[in-house]
Amino acid sequence: MRIEEKFKFFFEHMVDMVFLVEWKDNEFWYTYVNSSAQQKLAVVLIGRKLEDVLPQVTYDLLHKHYSVCVQKRESISYSDLNLFVPDMPASETTLTPIEDDGRIFVLAITKNVNELKKKAEDYLFLNSLVANTVDAMLVIDTNGTILKINDAFQKQFGWTTPEMIGQHWEEFQFTPMELKAQSDETILLLKNQKTTQPLETVRLTNNGQSIHTSVSYSPILDKDQQVVAISMIYRNIQHLRELEAKLAESKEAYKSLFSYHKNAILMVNSKGYITNVNEACETLTGYKKELIIGIDFVQYVQQKLQLPIDPLQKAFEGLVNSYEVEVPHASGNILFFYVTHVPIIIKGKVTGVYLIAQDITEKRKMELALKDSEEKFRLITEHSSDLIKVINKCGNISYVSPSYRNFMGAKYKILEGQQLTYGVHELDHPLLLESIHKLRTNEMKSIQIEYRYLNQEKEEVWVEVNASSIAGEGELDHIVLTGRIISERKELQELLTYQAYHDSLTGLPNRRLLEQSLDTAIESASKNNEKLALLFLDCDNFKQINDTYGHDMGDLLLVELAQRLSTCVRSEGTVSRLGGDEFVVLVKRAENYEHITRVADRIQTTLQQPYIIEGELIEATSSIGISIYPDNGTTIKQLFRKADQALYQVKNNGRNDYQFYS
């Protein structure tokens, strides 16, 4: 009986695939295949060479194994699991050399091991997930023995794998004593297959430092759905707690400014209702806070104040505007207020309006007295803190009040007889001259302007002036300018504006200003068919630097990092700080990817240099994620997300590098 017939007798009905291959003329030839192999491959094999039937890659692999089997005259086994290739089955093959009547054969039996493939894929997937997650992970069995910790756990809490694996988890001072009962209760629930919610709590590092963490618990079940282990995932939220503390401090500062300001301050919401007032508002108007809150301000303006325009509407359009108005006191007396409407802008949208009302009743009384009598006018102005100046019909200064002594010095009277622009900052001459012209031509009866004086030390002094024309015998006689020094208010407005758009630690633009700049840059790049780049970076291991040297040193490091960034980026881009150790470099008009690479290389080289802070040498590196407009996104949100994902990839690859989003 020929060998092919023998093997057909034994293997024809076997489920596994069976091949009998002959080695002759330095080639492998199929001499027999069973029905299972023939059905699965659906190709005629018998009498054909392997290289004529198989794809080149498959042939190379089989030829290598078959050749070893023939040369060594011994059985060998090999497997091909085809991991993570959905359409390819997993197999395990045994090759056995056979000599028959001077001929050399190889018997190949191939088994399907798809179940092993699935288990291997599941294991590799879970192992990769545990190893590469940025959150700390701890796995214990139902007896509390530690089975696994990942790299993130070691970095976050300080214990190493050799120290912990195989030990009971309660042997480590990981959970504060006051929280141990809570932790034990949670573990008991999980053992009983009860669900638990993520928990914000405190855990300890191996040096006893407390860390605010968010903990998620999950039971691990066997094939019989029995709990065999418990996984715990810890996310460090320490920075969130620190941000909350800073936010509370900022709110206290705002509350102090609001509550103790000498002017009345009212807050109006987007629907026009008054939602809050300060103590000065109660004092000045005589009305209790409870009576004012809830008033429809728009309706009040229309019915009580009878203003020719709606100043609140201008504020909701994002414009600061001011006006004078008469308001009845609770006692019935009429008060005069100078009111400024300041829009409350949050994330680029007007959500409400601040009304800042200064009591100018006395000033208005003075202005009215001026019209009655020159003598009374001089008597009042001599004792007024307001800046009062009279311009005659020729445009010369005919009178200045003694209050000008406050910034012009003892020789303030030198102003009298001079041109009306004397002492005024040169850049504000056109504004003043235009305003006076409107009064002279009766285009306006009164006008309010802000401009700068130069005092005797040549320093700028901001003043706010109300100018009114006074007619004598039917024609313009003179113009009265009543003003007050507002340098402090200007500085406060500038400071508040600066603080709203800049980081308090580094002085860099903050997220709000960055998003505005990025929005403008995207619009420009779209019109001009240009590219721009968003480089999202942070300081590697910044928490460790804070832990080692303290938060004050960490802040100084961030300041130095910000200065280095600004220096090396120069005019090519804009540097912003988002918070913590996160910074963004916006490069406008990016020429190409090589251009961005040069910028990123320069930043990396600069930031890799050691820092000397308070005499301490600190090594710190940075990781950068890069997104490109319009390649990676056309909106602010898309560019931020893609840059953050690229940064995440850099972190996973070992930090101290940069990565374009791909």
Side-chain angles (χ1 to χ4, degrees):
M1 180 181 293
R2 296 174 61 229
I3 188 171
E4 293 87 344
E5 295 175 350
K6 294 178 182 178
F7 280 93
K8 182 175 182 180
F9 178 79
F10 286 107
F11 300 113
E12 180 64 23
H13 301 293
M14 183 178 285
V15 175
D16 296 333
M17 295 190 294
V18 181
F19 307 85
L20 185 64
V21 177
E22 183 179 3
W23 170 252
K24 64 179 180 180
D25 301 330
N26 294 322
E27 298 284 356
F28 288 104
W29 298 76
Y30 285 108
T31 61
Y32 168 76
V33 295
N34 70 350
S35 298
S36 178
Q38 189 64 55
Q39 290 174 3
K40 291 177 181 177
L41 298 179
V43 176
V44 176
L45 301 177
I46 297 175
R48 301 176 69 182
K49 294 188 291 186
L50 270 66
E51 65 177 333
D52 294 338
V53 176
L54 302 175
Q56 187 63 43
V57 175
T58 306
Y59 171 75
D60 291 341
L61 176 64
L62 266 61
H63 186 273
K64 180 181 71 172
H65 293 305
Y66 277 54
S67 297
V68 171
C69 179
V70 169
Q71 291 168 7
K72 293 186 176 182
R73 295 293 198 277
E74 60 182 32
S75 296
I76 64 170
S77 296
Y78 66 92
S79 60
D80 187 0
L81 295 182
N82 290 311
L83 295 177
F84 302 106
V85 183
D87 298 330
M88 294 293 291
S91 63
E92 184 177 79
T93 301
T94 301
L95 304 180
T96 304
I98 299 174
E99 295 187 45
D100 182 68
D101 195 22
R103 299 164 68 188
I104 299 174
F105 297 88
V106 175
L107 173 65
I109 302 177
T110 300
K111 298 181 178 181
N112 185 300
V113 290
N114 278 341
E115 186 64 27
L116 177 61
K117 172 184 177 181
K118 182 178 183 304
K119 291 180 179 179
E121 288 178 338
D122 289 345
Y123 173 78
L124 291 174
F125 174 77
L126 292 174
N127 193 57
S128 175
L129 179 65
V130 172
N132 297 312
T133 181
V134 296
D135 294 327
M137 178 175 285
L138 170 71
V139 181
I140 63 174
D141 64 16
T142 54
N143 295 320
T145 302
I146 298 174
L147 302 177
K148 189 172 185 63
I149 63 172
N150 64 354
D151 290 343
F153 186 94
Q154 298 180 66
K155 293 175 183 177
Q156 185 166 322
F157 295 104
W159 284 290
T160 63
T161 298
E163 289 179 292
M164 301 193 76
I165 299 301
Q167 304 298 317
H168 197 281
W169 80 305
E170 291 186 352
E171 293 180 13
F172 300 90
Q173 294 299 320
F174 180 58
T175 304
M177 290 300 298
E178 63 272 17
L179 298 175
K180 188 176 181 303
Q182 179 192 63
S183 178
D184 291 343
E185 181 181 351
T186 302
I187 296 299
L188 182 59
L189 289 172
L190 292 166
K191 288 180 180 179
N192 294 322
Q193 297 192 22
K194 304 292 185 181
T195 58
T196 61
Q197 297 298 319
L199 176 69
E200 291 191 5
T201 184
V202 174
R203 290 295 181 262
L204 304 176
T205 65
N206 67 346
N207 60 9
Q209 179 187 356
S210 296
I211 297 179
H212 287 277
T213 61
S214 173
V215 188
S216 297
Y217 297 91
S218 298
I220 299 175
L221 309 179
D222 63 9
K223 63 180 181 179
D224 297 323
Q225 298 301 303
Q226 298 298 312
V227 177
V228 294
I230 296 169
S231 73
M232 304 170 222
I233 299 176
Y234 299 89
R235 174 162 293 178
N236 190 332
I237 58 173
Q238 184 71 24
H239 65 291
L240 295 178
R241 292 290 175 266
E242 293 171 358
L243 288 175
E244 288 172 357
K246 290 181 179 179
L247 179 60
E249 182 180 336
S250 177
K251 286 182 177 179
E252 284 298 316
Y254 157 75
K255 182 179 179 181
S256 178
L257 176 65
F258 182 83
S259 300
Y260 302 117
H261 202 287
K262 65 179 181 179
N263 292 333
I265 301 179
L266 303 87
M267 185 183 295
V268 177
N269 65 18
S270 59
K271 295 182 179 180
Y273 289 93
I274 299 174
T275 59
N276 199 7
V277 299
N278 66 351
E279 293 180 5
C281 184
E282 293 183 282
T283 302
L284 292 174
T285 65
Y287 290 99
K288 290 294 183 181
K289 183 177 184 178
E290 293 75 15
L291 296 176
I292 303 174
I293 293 177
I295 290 177
D296 184 338
F297 186 74
V298 175
Q299 187 179 59
Y300 182 78
V301 167
Q302 294 173 346
Q303 296 180 357
K304 302 292 185 181
L305 303 185
Q306 298 178 349
L307 295 173
I309 58 172
D310 182 0
L312 199 62
Q313 182 58 40
K314 283 192 173 183
F316 280 125
E317 293 171 359
L319 302 174
V320 177
N321 61 98
S322 303
Y323 57 91
E324 291 185 8
V325 66
E326 296 181 13
V327 177
H329 187 271
S331 64
N333 295 330
I334 297 299
L335 301 175
F336 293 92
F337 284 98
Y338 178 75
V339 182
T340 299
H341 289 204
V342 180
I344 302 172
I345 302 176
I346 299 177
K347 294 183 179 180
K349 294 184 178 180
V350 178
T351 60
V353 177
Y354 285 121
L355 277 65
I356 304 173
Q358 179 188 8
D359 184 4
I360 58 169
T361 304
E362 292 303 317
K363 186 180 78 169
R364 285 297 301 270
K365 289 179 179 179
M366 292 179 188
E367 292 174 354
L368 293 173
L370 286 174
K371 296 180 181 180
D372 294 337
S373 168
E374 182 70 18
E375 188 61 33
K376 290 181 180 179
F377 166 76
R378 289 187 177 274
L379 180 62
I380 294 171
T381 57
E382 294 296 322
H383 298 86
S384 173
S385 61
D386 287 338
L387 305 170
I388 301 174
K389 180 164 58 177
V390 179
I391 308 297
N392 62 25
K393 62 179 65 177
C394 297
N396 295 326
I397 302 170
S398 61
Y399 171 80
V400 291
S401 65
S403 53
Y404 274 87
R405 185 187 292 112
N406 294 333
F407 65 91
M408 297 300 291
K411 298 181 179 180
Y412 73 94
K413 282 290 184 179
I414 195 174
L415 291 170
E416 295 181 358
Q418 303 290 343
Q419 289 291 316
L420 64 94
T421 55
Y422 185 87
V424 176
H425 195 290
E426 183 178 1
L427 295 178
D428 294 334
H429 285 187
L431 172 64
L432 180 57
L433 291 172
E434 180 185 5
S435 300
I436 297 300
H437 175 74
K438 289 180 179 179
L439 294 173
R440 283 177 172 171
T441 57
N442 286 323
E443 184 178 341
M444 300 181 71
K445 292 295 183 182
S446 63
I447 194 169
Q448 183 184 85
I449 53 175
E450 294 179 2
Y451 56 87
R452 292 161 290 180
Y453 272 103
L454 293 176
N455 64 15
Q456 53 188 345
E457 286 81 28
K458 301 302 179 183
E459 298 171 337
E460 293 181 4
V461 178
W462 276 97
V463 295
E464 181 183 78
V465 173
N466 288 298
S468 303
S469 58
I470 307 297
E473 298 181 357
E475 62 181 25
L476 178 70
D477 186 59
H478 53 266
I479 296 172
V480 177
L481 288 78
T482 306
R484 59 193 177 95
I485 297 174
I486 59 168
S487 295
E488 186 175 312
R489 190 186 80 191
K490 277 286 187 180
E491 291 173 359
L492 178 60
Q493 289 177 345
E494 292 175 0
L495 177 61
L496 290 175
T497 301
Y498 182 88
Q499 290 176 343
Y501 291 95
H502 290 81
D503 173 52
S504 60
L505 177 63
T506 63
L508 293 176
N510 60 14
R511 179 184 285 273
R512 179 185 296 174
L513 184 53
L514 170 63
E515 290 180 348
Q516 291 185 5
S517 300
L518 184 54
D519 188 53
T520 302
I522 289 174
E523 183 177 355
S524 175
S526 175
K527 290 181 179 178
N528 300 315
N529 195 26
E530 296 174 336
K531 291 183 181 294
L532 59 85
L534 193 71
L535 284 69
F536 191 6
L537 65 91
D538 67 9
C539 181
D540 295 331
N541 301 313
F542 182 68
K543 178 184 179 300
Q544 182 178 348
I545 294 173
N546 267 341
D547 292 343
T548 303
Y549 298 98
H551 289 279
D552 290 341
M553 291 283 280
D555 286 346
L556 293 175
L557 175 63
L558 292 178
V559 172
E560 174 65 20
L561 188 150
Q563 292 173 348
R564 290 189 183 185
L565 272 177
S566 299
T567 300
C568 73
V569 172
R570 298 188 297 273
S571 60
E572 290 187 81
T574 302
V575 181
S576 304
R577 182 188 179 208
L578 300 187
D581 61 328
E582 295 180 339
F583 296 80
V584 170
V585 176
L586 171 60
V587 179
K588 304 174 184 176
R589 292 184 292 278
E591 298 170 6
N592 46 45
Y593 277 73
E594 289 74 19
H595 176 197
I596 303 305
T597 299
R598 290 196 301 272
V599 174
D601 283 334
R602 190 164 66 243
I603 292 174
Q604 282 288 101
T605 301
T606 301
L607 298 186
Q608 285 172 350
Q609 302 303 312
Y611 297 80
I612 300 178
I613 309 293
E614 298 288 334
E616 295 282 353
L617 182 66
I618 301 177
E619 300 282 350
T621 60
S622 296
S623 300
I624 307 174
I626 306 172
S627 62
I628 305 296
Y629 171 92
D631 301 6
N632 305 137
T634 57
T635 67
I636 294 174
K637 184 176 181 180
Q638 290 171 347
L639 293 175
F640 264 106
R641 185 174 70 251
K642 298 301 176 58
D644 186 53
Q645 291 174 0
L647 175 60
Y648 181 82
Q649 188 62 43
V650 176
K651 294 291 187 182
N652 284 343
N653 292 339
R655 297 181 168 84
N656 190 24
D657 201 354
Y658 62 86
Q659 174 78 47
F660 287 85
Y661 174 82
S662 60

